């Protein structure tokens, strides 16, 4: 993933992708910053800043030493996407909304688009609160599993042919169950 620092949701996307990657990689222990940097194509300096924010919000923890690195502070099913996004959310830019000064009436001094952006933020927070990091991991695994199954089905029959002398019944079992079982075990 190429880290794009432009756009309203660029930091959000990077932060969520990094948390999903961290959750996947940390199953074997703490993950060095360099490994995540290489996989996500984000500069180590940028990741250091991101992890400082994630640590401040108690979403990740750091272990020092030779085998050290970062890992989620809680299980992936306990961390919502909204929590991750909240860590990197910047305060609104006051220059991005037009405030009509000197107006009279009920909306005097209120920014013309403030309610729009506040409503959008509220809706997004509601949606993102319903999605956990584990949900994203499960979705990626299902997608990878489906792609692997399609690849097996696309193989020519001779690529899956058993050695000579195998009984025809074993041939049909080998073509249908063995590759599927091996793939599902490798993805698990």
């Amino acid at each position: 993933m190429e880290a794009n620092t432009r756009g309203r949701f660029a930091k959000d996307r990077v932060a969520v992708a990094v948390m999903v990657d961290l959750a996947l990689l940390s199953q074997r222990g703490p993950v060095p910053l360099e490994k995540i940097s290489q996989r996500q194509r984000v500069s180590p300096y940028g990741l250091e800043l991101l992890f400082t924010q994630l640590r401040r919000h108690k979403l990740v923890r750091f272990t020092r030493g030779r085998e050290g690195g970062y890992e989620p502070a809680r299980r992936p099913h306990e961390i919502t996407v909204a929590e991750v996004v909240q860590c990197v959310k910047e305060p609104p830019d006051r220059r991005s909304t037009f405030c009509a000064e000197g107006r009279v009436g009920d909306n005097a001094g209120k920014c013309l688009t403030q309610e729009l952006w506040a409503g959008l933020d509220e809706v997004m927070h509601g949606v993102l609160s319903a999605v956990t990091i584990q949900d994203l991991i499960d979705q990626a695994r299902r997608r990878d599993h489906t792609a692997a199954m399609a690849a097996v089905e696309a193989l020519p029959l001779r690529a899956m042919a058993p050695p000579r002398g195998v009984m025809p019944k074993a041939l049909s079992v080998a073509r249908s169950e063995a590759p599927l079982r091996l793939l599902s075990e490798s993805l698990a």
Side-chain angles (χ1 to χ4, degrees):
M1 179 182 108
E2 192 65 36
N4 182 1
T5 57
R6 296 178 187 219
R8 180 177 170 147
F9 304 111
K11 287 184 181 180
D12 301 352
R13 288 192 306 262
V14 171
V16 171
V18 165
M19 279 300 292
V20 170
D21 205 22
L22 181 66
L24 284 168
L25 294 173
S26 67
Q27 294 173 353
R28 296 183 186 110
V31 181
L33 186 75
E34 295 79 27
K35 188 169 189 173
I36 297 170
S37 174
Q38 290 170 353
R39 287 174 53 96
Q40 294 295 326
R41 297 184 188 145
V42 178
S43 76
Y45 176 74
L47 274 182
E48 196 64 55
L49 294 175
L50 172 62
F51 277 105
T52 299
Q53 292 173 311
L54 294 171
R55 282 178 71 184
R56 187 177 305 130
H57 286 86
K58 297 182 173 55
L59 292 180
V60 298
R61 62 176 168 248
F62 179 72
T63 305
R64 295 176 185 240
R66 197 169 133 237
E67 299 292 322
Y70 289 94
E71 57 190 336
R74 295 177 285 170
R75 294 182 180 142
H77 71 273
E78 297 171 344
I79 301 172
T80 66
V81 173
E83 289 177 282
V84 177
V85 169
Q86 192 65 36
C87 289
V88 296
K89 186 175 182 181
E90 295 179 354
D93 183 6
R94 292 183 181 267
R95 294 172 293 167
S96 65
T97 57
F98 173 71
C99 292
E101 294 183 23
R103 292 182 58 190
V104 292
D106 294 336
N107 293 330
K110 201 173 198 180
C111 290
L112 297 176
T113 59
Q114 184 177 6
E115 290 179 16
L116 169 72
W117 298 118
L120 177 63
D121 284 343
E122 187 177 317
V123 169
M124 284 179 38
H125 184 36
V127 170
L128 298 178
S129 293
V131 181
T132 67
I133 297 299
Q134 185 65 51
D135 294 335
L136 297 177
I137 291 170
D138 293 342
Q139 180 182 4
R141 284 185 177 154
R142 280 192 301 274
R143 185 186 64 232
D144 291 345
H145 181 72
T146 303
M149 297 307 292
V152 167
E153 290 173 3
L155 287 175
L157 288 178
R158 68 184 132 102
M160 294 174 31
R164 292 181 186 212
V166 176
M167 296 174 30
K169 183 177 179 185
L171 175 64
S172 65
V173 171
R175 285 188 179 160
S176 63
E177 296 174 4
L180 301 178
R181 185 173 32 83
L182 290 174
L183 279 172
S184 63
E185 288 172 2
S186 68
L187 292 175

